[in-house]
Amino acid sequence: MTSEEVRINVERALEEIRPFLKSDGGDISLISIEDDRHVKVQLEGACVGCSVNTMTLKSGVEMTIKRYVPQIETVLNIEK
């Protein structure tokens, strides 16, 4: 998968997740993809102070991204 294909597929994964986050007053933005294996995102809105945002990141965001791009190794939330 080329770097452009990785980016497109990560964006598709985020689009799949976004409605669930928005239903709880949150959102997510892609910050960067490093070495086509490490994704940095930023949880926004209600997700910022949510007590379960780590679970959302691992169980929701990371799993969905890895389904679209299996080579992704890590997904990190970058706080503002």
Side-chain angles (χ1 to χ4, degrees):
M1 207 178 278
T2 67
S3 293
E4 184 61 24
E5 290 169 325
V6 168
R7 178 173 280 290
I8 288 168
N9 284 321
V10 168
E11 289 283 5
R12 285 183 182 148
L14 294 180
E15 285 303 315
E16 181 179 319
I17 297 160
R18 193 165 274 122
F20 299 104
L21 298 176
K22 286 190 174 193
S23 71
D24 287 329
D27 204 352
I28 192 167
S29 295
L30 176 62
I31 302 300
S32 66
I33 302 171
E34 297 174 2
D35 301 323
D36 292 338
R37 283 181 278 181
H38 307 284
V39 176
K40 292 183 180 179
V41 296
Q42 188 168 71
L43 292 170
E44 301 170 347
C47 293
V48 173
C50 181
S51 62
V52 295
N53 70 7
T54 301
M55 187 175 76
T56 298
L57 187 68
K58 293 293 175 192
S59 299
V61 177
E62 187 171 293
M63 279 180 36
T64 303
I65 289 174
K66 286 181 176 181
R67 202 175 42 197
Y68 279 80
V69 189
Q71 72 200 46
I72 295 299
E73 296 173 9
T74 61
V75 177
L76 299 172
N77 179 45
I78 305 302
E79 297 183 21
K80 289 184 180 182

